[in-house]
PDB file of all heavy atoms in Angstrom:
ATOM      1  N   SER B 110     -12.629  45.440  45.700  1.00 95.00           N
ATOM      2  CA  SER B 110     -12.350  46.366  44.597  1.00 95.00           C
ATOM      3  C   SER B 110     -13.518  47.319  44.394  1.00 95.00           C
ATOM      4  O   SER B 110     -14.646  47.020  44.799  1.00 95.00           O
ATOM      5  CB  SER B 110     -12.086  45.605  43.293  1.00 95.00           C
ATOM      6  OG  SER B 110     -13.277  44.972  42.863  1.00 95.00           O
ATOM      7  N   CYS B 111     -13.207  48.450  43.793  1.00 96.00           N
ATOM      8  CA  CYS B 111     -14.259  49.412  43.433  1.00 96.00           C
ATOM      9  C   CYS B 111     -13.897  49.980  42.075  1.00 96.00           C
ATOM     10  O   CYS B 111     -12.806  50.520  41.889  1.00 96.00           O
ATOM     11  CB  CYS B 111     -14.314  50.529  44.491  1.00 96.00           C
ATOM     12  SG  CYS B 111     -15.461  51.841  44.009  1.00 96.00           S
ATOM     13  N   VAL B 112     -14.806  49.814  41.124  1.00 96.00           N
ATOM     14  CA  VAL B 112     -14.532  50.267  39.748  1.00 96.00           C
ATOM     15  C   VAL B 112     -15.750  50.992  39.217  1.00 96.00           C
ATOM     16  O   VAL B 112     -16.875  50.538  39.416  1.00 96.00           O
ATOM     17  CB  VAL B 112     -14.246  49.032  38.842  1.00 96.00           C
ATOM     18  CG1 VAL B 112     -14.012  49.457  37.407  1.00 96.00           C
ATOM     19  CG2 VAL B 112     -13.080  48.245  39.345  1.00 96.00           C
ATOM     20  N   ARG B 113     -15.534  52.119  38.534  1.00 96.00           N
ATOM     21  CA  ARG B 113     -16.682  52.789  37.912  1.00 96.00           C
ATOM     22  C   ARG B 113     -17.027  52.054  36.618  1.00 96.00           C
ATOM     23  O   ARG B 113     -16.169  51.819  35.788  1.00 96.00           O
ATOM     24  CB  ARG B 113     -16.371  54.256  37.605  1.00 96.00           C
ATOM     25  CG  ARG B 113     -17.653  55.000  37.218  1.00 96.00           C
ATOM     26  CD  ARG B 113     -17.428  56.442  36.921  1.00 96.00           C
ATOM     27  NE  ARG B 113     -16.901  56.586  35.554  1.00 96.00           N
ATOM     28  CZ  ARG B 113     -16.644  57.760  34.999  1.00 96.00           C
ATOM     29  NH1 ARG B 113     -16.841  58.870  35.662  1.00 96.00           N
ATOM     30  NH2 ARG B 113     -16.158  57.830  33.766  1.00 96.00           N
ATOM     31  N   GLU B 114     -18.327  51.726  36.477  1.00 95.00           N
ATOM     32  CA  GLU B 114     -18.750  51.018  35.265  1.00 95.00           C
ATOM     33  C   GLU B 114     -19.386  51.964  34.256  1.00 95.00           C
ATOM     34  O   GLU B 114     -19.313  51.700  33.059  1.00 95.00           O
ATOM     35  CB  GLU B 114     -19.776  49.937  35.628  1.00 95.00           C
ATOM     36  CG  GLU B 114     -19.156  48.829  36.428  1.00 95.00           C
ATOM     37  CD  GLU B 114     -19.688  47.477  36.068  1.00 95.00           C
ATOM     38  OE1 GLU B 114     -20.879  47.388  35.763  1.00 95.00           O
ATOM     39  OE2 GLU B 114     -18.899  46.525  36.126  1.00 95.00           O
ATOM     40  N   GLU B 115     -20.034  52.996  34.731  1.00 94.00           N
ATOM     41  CA  GLU B 115     -20.700  53.926  33.816  1.00 94.00           C
ATOM     42  C   GLU B 115     -20.715  55.314  34.441  1.00 94.00           C
ATOM     43  O   GLU B 115     -20.968  55.432  35.631  1.00 94.00           O
ATOM     44  CB  GLU B 115     -22.176  53.542  33.643  1.00 94.00           C
ATOM     45  CG  GLU B 115     -22.476  52.601  32.541  1.00 94.00           C
ATOM     46  CD  GLU B 115     -23.953  52.257  32.516  1.00 94.00           C
ATOM     47  OE1 GLU B 115     -24.770  53.172  32.309  1.00 94.00           O
ATOM     48  OE2 GLU B 115     -24.289  51.082  32.727  1.00 94.00           O
ATOM     49  N   PRO B 116     -20.504  56.353  33.651  1.00 96.00           N
ATOM     50  CA  PRO B 116     -20.743  57.698  34.188  1.00 96.00           C
ATOM     51  C   PRO B 116     -22.240  57.976  34.210  1.00 96.00           C
ATOM     52  O   PRO B 116     -23.019  57.308  33.516  1.00 96.00           O
ATOM     53  CB  PRO B 116     -20.025  58.611  33.188  1.00 96.00           C
ATOM     54  CG  PRO B 116     -19.970  57.830  31.933  1.00 96.00           C
ATOM     55  CD  PRO B 116     -20.015  56.370  32.279  1.00 96.00           C
ATOM     56  N   TYR B 117     -22.663  58.901  35.028  1.00 95.00           N
ATOM     57  CA  TYR B 117     -24.103  59.208  35.155  1.00 95.00           C
ATOM     58  C   TYR B 117     -24.305  60.719  34.995  1.00 95.00           C
ATOM     59  O   TYR B 117     -23.543  61.513  35.543  1.00 95.00           O
ATOM     60  CB  TYR B 117     -24.598  58.760  36.535  1.00 95.00           C
ATOM     61  CG  TYR B 117     -26.071  58.964  36.754  1.00 95.00           C
ATOM     62  CD1 TYR B 117     -27.003  58.024  36.331  1.00 95.00           C
ATOM     63  CD2 TYR B 117     -26.544  60.121  37.375  1.00 95.00           C
ATOM     64  CE1 TYR B 117     -28.352  58.202  36.531  1.00 95.00           C
ATOM     65  CE2 TYR B 117     -27.903  60.300  37.579  1.00 95.00           C
ATOM     66  CZ  TYR B 117     -28.793  59.344  37.161  1.00 95.00           C
ATOM     67  OH  TYR B 117     -30.129  59.542  37.355  1.00 95.00           O
ATOM     68  N   SER B 118     -25.323  61.101  34.262  1.00 95.00           N
ATOM     69  CA  SER B 118     -25.605  62.513  34.030  1.00 95.00           C
ATOM     70  C   SER B 118     -27.106  62.739  33.900  1.00 95.00           C
ATOM     71  O   SER B 118     -27.775  61.944  33.242  1.00 95.00           O
ATOM     72  CB  SER B 118     -24.887  62.965  32.760  1.00 95.00           C
ATOM     73  OG  SER B 118     -25.198  64.305  32.513  1.00 95.00           O
ATOM     74  N   GLU B 119     -27.594  63.801  34.517  1.00 92.00           N
ATOM     75  CA  GLU B 119     -29.036  64.049  34.449  1.00 92.00           C
ATOM     76  C   GLU B 119     -29.336  65.489  34.839  1.00 92.00           C
ATOM     77  O   GLU B 119     -28.573  66.100  35.595  1.00 92.00           O
ATOM     78  CB  GLU B 119     -29.715  63.114  35.454  1.00 92.00           C
ATOM     79  CG  GLU B 119     -31.181  62.896  35.208  1.00 92.00           C
ATOM     80  CD  GLU B 119     -31.860  62.147  36.318  1.00 92.00           C
ATOM     81  OE1 GLU B 119     -31.166  61.449  37.098  1.00 92.00           O
ATOM     82  OE2 GLU B 119     -33.081  62.289  36.435  1.00 92.00           O
ATOM     83  N   ILE B 120     -30.429  66.029  34.321  1.00 92.00           N
ATOM     84  CA  ILE B 120     -30.929  67.328  34.803  1.00 92.00           C
ATOM     85  C   ILE B 120     -32.334  67.091  35.348  1.00 92.00           C
ATOM     86  O   ILE B 120     -33.156  66.453  34.682  1.00 92.00           O
ATOM     87  CB  ILE B 120     -31.003  68.376  33.673  1.00 92.00           C
ATOM     88  CG1 ILE B 120     -29.596  68.667  33.131  1.00 92.00           C
ATOM     89  CG2 ILE B 120     -31.613  69.670  34.179  1.00 92.00           C
ATOM     90  CD1 ILE B 120     -29.566  69.688  32.031  1.00 92.00           C
ATOM     91  N   GLU B 121     -32.578  67.555  36.567  1.00 90.00           N
ATOM     92  CA  GLU B 121     -33.914  67.420  37.161  1.00 90.00           C
ATOM     93  C   GLU B 121     -34.525  68.804  37.322  1.00 90.00           C
ATOM     94  O   GLU B 121     -33.819  69.763  37.643  1.00 90.00           O
ATOM     95  CB  GLU B 121     -33.767  66.805  38.546  1.00 90.00           C
ATOM     96  CG  GLU B 121     -34.275  65.389  38.641  1.00 90.00           C
ATOM     97  CD  GLU B 121     -34.188  64.881  40.072  1.00 90.00           C
ATOM     98  OE1 GLU B 121     -35.036  65.281  40.893  1.00 90.00           O
ATOM     99  OE2 GLU B 121     -33.249  64.129  40.325  1.00 90.00           O
ATOM    100  N   GLN B 122     -35.821  68.912  37.126  1.00 87.00           N
ATOM    101  CA  GLN B 122     -36.525  70.177  37.318  1.00 87.00           C
ATOM    102  C   GLN B 122     -37.386  70.049  38.564  1.00 87.00           C
ATOM    103  O   GLN B 122     -38.106  69.065  38.711  1.00 87.00           O
ATOM    104  CB  GLN B 122     -37.431  70.483  36.123  1.00 87.00           C
ATOM    105  CG  GLN B 122     -36.713  70.623  34.797  1.00 87.00           C
ATOM    106  CD  GLN B 122     -35.977  71.939  34.661  1.00 87.00           C
ATOM    107  OE1 GLN B 122     -36.286  72.898  35.353  1.00 87.00           O
ATOM    108  NE2 GLN B 122     -34.997  71.974  33.780  1.00 87.00           N
ATOM    109  N   ASP B 123     -37.284  71.011  39.472  1.00 85.00           N
ATOM    110  CA  ASP B 123     -38.142  70.996  40.653  1.00 85.00           C
ATOM    111  C   ASP B 123     -38.426  72.424  41.080  1.00 85.00           C
ATOM    112  O   ASP B 123     -37.476  73.181  41.346  1.00 85.00           O
ATOM    113  CB  ASP B 123     -37.462  70.206  41.776  1.00 85.00           C
ATOM    114  CG  ASP B 123     -38.379  70.004  42.971  1.00 85.00           C
ATOM    115  OD1 ASP B 123     -39.603  69.874  42.738  1.00 85.00           O
ATOM    116  OD2 ASP B 123     -37.891  69.976  44.093  1.00 85.00           O
ATOM    117  N   GLU B 124     -39.704  72.776  41.139  1.00 83.00           N
ATOM    118  CA  GLU B 124     -40.153  74.122  41.521  1.00 83.00           C
ATOM    119  C   GLU B 124     -39.400  75.199  40.725  1.00 83.00           C
ATOM    120  O   GLU B 124     -38.982  76.225  41.287  1.00 83.00           O
ATOM    121  CB  GLU B 124     -39.995  74.325  43.027  1.00 83.00           C
ATOM    122  CG  GLU B 124     -40.954  73.448  43.816  1.00 83.00           C
ATOM    123  CD  GLU B 124     -40.622  73.392  45.298  1.00 83.00           C
ATOM    124  OE1 GLU B 124     -39.753  74.154  45.742  1.00 83.00           O
ATOM    125  OE2 GLU B 124     -41.226  72.562  45.988  1.00 83.00           O
ATOM    126  N   GLY B 125     -39.202  74.964  39.470  1.00 84.00           N
ATOM    127  CA  GLY B 125     -38.570  75.951  38.598  1.00 84.00           C
ATOM    128  C   GLY B 125     -37.052  75.910  38.588  1.00 84.00           C
ATOM    129  O   GLY B 125     -36.424  76.427  37.679  1.00 84.00           O
ATOM    130  N   PHE B 126     -36.465  75.296  39.606  1.00 88.00           N
ATOM    131  CA  PHE B 126     -35.010  75.211  39.665  1.00 88.00           C
ATOM    132  C   PHE B 126     -34.525  74.007  38.844  1.00 88.00           C
ATOM    133  O   PHE B 126     -35.213  72.976  38.796  1.00 88.00           O
ATOM    134  CB  PHE B 126     -34.529  75.034  41.114  1.00 88.00           C
ATOM    135  CG  PHE B 126     -34.638  76.266  41.935  1.00 88.00           C
ATOM    136  CD1 PHE B 126     -35.786  76.526  42.687  1.00 88.00           C
ATOM    137  CD2 PHE B 126     -33.608  77.190  41.965  1.00 88.00           C
ATOM    138  CE1 PHE B 126     -35.890  77.671  43.439  1.00 88.00           C
ATOM    139  CE2 PHE B 126     -33.705  78.342  42.725  1.00 88.00           C
ATOM    140  CZ  PHE B 126     -34.844  78.589  43.471  1.00 88.00           C
ATOM    141  N   ALA B 127     -33.369  74.192  38.243  1.00 90.00           N
ATOM    142  CA  ALA B 127     -32.754  73.074  37.514  1.00 90.00           C
ATOM    143  C   ALA B 127     -31.658  72.476  38.366  1.00 90.00           C
ATOM    144  O   ALA B 127     -30.778  73.201  38.853  1.00 90.00           O
ATOM    145  CB  ALA B 127     -32.195  73.554  36.189  1.00 90.00           C
ATOM    146  N   TYR B 128     -31.714  71.184  38.584  1.00 92.00           N
ATOM    147  CA  TYR B 128     -30.682  70.486  39.359  1.00 92.00           C
ATOM    148  C   TYR B 128     -29.778  69.740  38.388  1.00 92.00           C
ATOM    149  O   TYR B 128     -30.254  68.943  37.590  1.00 92.00           O
ATOM    150  CB  TYR B 128     -31.319  69.511  40.356  1.00 92.00           C
ATOM    151  CG  TYR B 128     -32.040  70.223  41.469  1.00 92.00           C
ATOM    152  CD1 TYR B 128     -33.369  70.621  41.317  1.00 92.00           C
ATOM    153  CD2 TYR B 128     -31.389  70.549  42.642  1.00 92.00           C
ATOM    154  CE1 TYR B 128     -34.033  71.304  42.322  1.00 92.00           C
ATOM    155  CE2 TYR B 128     -32.032  71.231  43.656  1.00 92.00           C
ATOM    156  CZ  TYR B 128     -33.345  71.608  43.482  1.00 92.00           C
ATOM    157  OH  TYR B 128     -33.988  72.303  44.482  1.00 92.00           O
ATOM    158  N   TYR B 129     -28.497  70.040  38.477  1.00 94.00           N
ATOM    159  CA  TYR B 129     -27.517  69.428  37.580  1.00 94.00           C
ATOM    160  C   TYR B 129     -26.834  68.291  38.336  1.00 94.00           C
ATOM    161  O   TYR B 129     -26.227  68.510  39.377  1.00 94.00           O
ATOM    162  CB  TYR B 129     -26.488  70.463  37.110  1.00 94.00           C
ATOM    163  CG  TYR B 129     -27.136  71.556  36.295  1.00 94.00           C
ATOM    164  CD1 TYR B 129     -27.698  72.677  36.906  1.00 94.00           C
ATOM    165  CD2 TYR B 129     -27.224  71.433  34.919  1.00 94.00           C
ATOM    166  CE1 TYR B 129     -28.327  73.649  36.156  1.00 94.00           C
ATOM    167  CE2 TYR B 129     -27.851  72.398  34.166  1.00 94.00           C
ATOM    168  CZ  TYR B 129     -28.391  73.511  34.793  1.00 94.00           C
ATOM    169  OH  TYR B 129     -29.021  74.464  34.039  1.00 94.00           O
ATOM    170  N   ILE B 130     -26.965  67.109  37.765  1.00 95.00           N
ATOM    171  CA  ILE B 130     -26.477  65.911  38.486  1.00 95.00           C
ATOM    172  C   ILE B 130     -25.430  65.172  37.635  1.00 95.00           C
ATOM    173  O   ILE B 130     -25.673  64.893  36.465  1.00 95.00           O
ATOM    174  CB  ILE B 130     -27.654  64.949  38.792  1.00 95.00           C
ATOM    175  CG1 ILE B 130     -28.773  65.694  39.524  1.00 95.00           C
ATOM    176  CG2 ILE B 130     -27.180  63.772  39.629  1.00 95.00           C
ATOM    177  CD1 ILE B 130     -30.101  64.984  39.454  1.00 95.00           C
ATOM    178  N   ARG B 131     -24.305  64.923  38.236  1.00 95.00           N
ATOM    179  CA  ARG B 131     -23.269  64.103  37.601  1.00 95.00           C
ATOM    180  C   ARG B 131     -22.816  63.065  38.605  1.00 95.00           C
ATOM    181  O   ARG B 131     -22.968  63.244  39.822  1.00 95.00           O
ATOM    182  CB  ARG B 131     -22.068  64.956  37.169  1.00 95.00           C
ATOM    183  CG  ARG B 131     -22.297  65.786  35.929  1.00 95.00           C
ATOM    184  CD  ARG B 131     -22.081  64.979  34.664  1.00 95.00           C
ATOM    185  NE  ARG B 131     -22.729  65.543  33.506  1.00 95.00           N
ATOM    186  CZ  ARG B 131     -22.202  66.431  32.680  1.00 95.00           C
ATOM    187  NH1 ARG B 131     -21.013  66.925  32.902  1.00 95.00           N
ATOM    188  NH2 ARG B 131     -22.856  66.840  31.613  1.00 95.00           N
ATOM    189  N   GLY B 132     -22.240  61.988  38.138  1.00 95.00           N
ATOM    190  CA  GLY B 132     -21.765  60.950  39.046  1.00 95.00           C
ATOM    191  C   GLY B 132     -21.390  59.706  38.282  1.00 95.00           C
ATOM    192  O   GLY B 132     -20.927  59.793  37.135  1.00 95.00           O
ATOM    193  N   GLY B 133     -21.613  58.571  38.919  1.00 96.00           N
ATOM    194  CA  GLY B 133     -21.243  57.334  38.252  1.00 96.00           C
ATOM    195  C   GLY B 133     -21.858  56.117  38.938  1.00 96.00           C
ATOM    196  O   GLY B 133     -22.316  56.187  40.065  1.00 96.00           O
ATOM    197  N   ILE B 134     -21.880  55.031  38.172  1.00 96.00           N
ATOM    198  CA  ILE B 134     -22.326  53.745  38.728  1.00 96.00           C
ATOM    199  C   ILE B 134     -21.063  52.932  39.002  1.00 96.00           C
ATOM    200  O   ILE B 134     -20.272  52.676  38.090  1.00 96.00           O
ATOM    201  CB  ILE B 134     -23.271  53.011  37.752  1.00 96.00           C
ATOM    202  CG1 ILE B 134     -24.550  53.836  37.551  1.00 96.00           C
ATOM    203  CG2 ILE B 134     -23.628  51.625  38.276  1.00 96.00           C
ATOM    204  CD1 ILE B 134     -25.501  53.321  36.511  1.00 96.00           C
ATOM    205  N   TYR B 135     -20.866  52.577  40.276  1.00 97.00           N
ATOM    206  CA  TYR B 135     -19.645  51.894  40.709  1.00 97.00           C
ATOM    207  C   TYR B 135     -19.940  50.458  41.119  1.00 97.00           C
ATOM    208  O   TYR B 135     -20.931  50.224  41.828  1.00 97.00           O
ATOM    209  CB  TYR B 135     -19.018  52.631  41.896  1.00 97.00           C
ATOM    210  CG  TYR B 135     -18.422  53.982  41.516  1.00 97.00           C
ATOM    211  CD1 TYR B 135     -19.214  55.124  41.491  1.00 97.00           C
ATOM    212  CD2 TYR B 135     -17.085  54.097  41.184  1.00 97.00           C
ATOM    213  CE1 TYR B 135     -18.683  56.360  41.142  1.00 97.00           C
ATOM    214  CE2 TYR B 135     -16.554  55.319  40.827  1.00 97.00           C
ATOM    215  CZ  TYR B 135     -17.344  56.448  40.805  1.00 97.00           C
ATOM    216  OH  TYR B 135     -16.819  57.650  40.441  1.00 97.00           O
ATOM    217  N   ARG B 136     -19.091  49.565  40.647  1.00 96.00           N
ATOM    218  CA  ARG B 136     -19.210  48.153  41.083  1.00 96.00           C
ATOM    219  C   ARG B 136     -18.268  47.941  42.256  1.00 96.00           C
ATOM    220  O   ARG B 136     -17.054  48.144  42.132  1.00 96.00           O
ATOM    221  CB  ARG B 136     -18.864  47.203  39.944  1.00 96.00           C
ATOM    222  CG  ARG B 136     -19.162  45.739  40.286  1.00 96.00           C
ATOM    223  CD  ARG B 136     -18.937  44.835  39.096  1.00 96.00           C
ATOM    224  NE  ARG B 136     -19.905  45.075  38.034  1.00 96.00           N
ATOM    225  CZ  ARG B 136     -21.149  44.585  38.003  1.00 96.00           C
ATOM    226  NH1 ARG B 136     -21.573  43.821  38.997  1.00 96.00           N
ATOM    227  NH2 ARG B 136     -21.938  44.842  36.985  1.00 96.00           N
ATOM    228  N   ILE B 137     -18.840  47.579  43.390  1.00 96.00           N
ATOM    229  CA  ILE B 137     -18.029  47.394  44.602  1.00 96.00           C
ATOM    230  C   ILE B 137     -18.116  45.920  45.011  1.00 96.00           C
ATOM    231  O   ILE B 137     -19.205  45.385  45.174  1.00 96.00           O
ATOM    232  CB  ILE B 137     -18.517  48.296  45.745  1.00 96.00           C
ATOM    233  CG1 ILE B 137     -18.454  49.777  45.306  1.00 96.00           C
ATOM    234  CG2 ILE B 137     -17.703  48.097  47.007  1.00 96.00           C
ATOM    235  CD1 ILE B 137     -19.086  50.747  46.290  1.00 96.00           C
TER     236      ILE B 137
END
Side-chain angles (χ1 to χ4, degrees):
Chain B
S110 68
C111 174
V112 178
R113 191 179 80 178
E114 292 218 324
E115 270 178 62
Y117 183 85
S118 177
E119 200 188 339
I120 297 180
E121 251 184 76
Q122 299 285 339
D123 188 33
E124 292 167 8
F126 287 92
Y128 291 86
Y129 296 87
I130 307 161
R131 284 277 159 89
I134 297 174
Y135 290 86
R136 188 175 293 278
I137 301 173

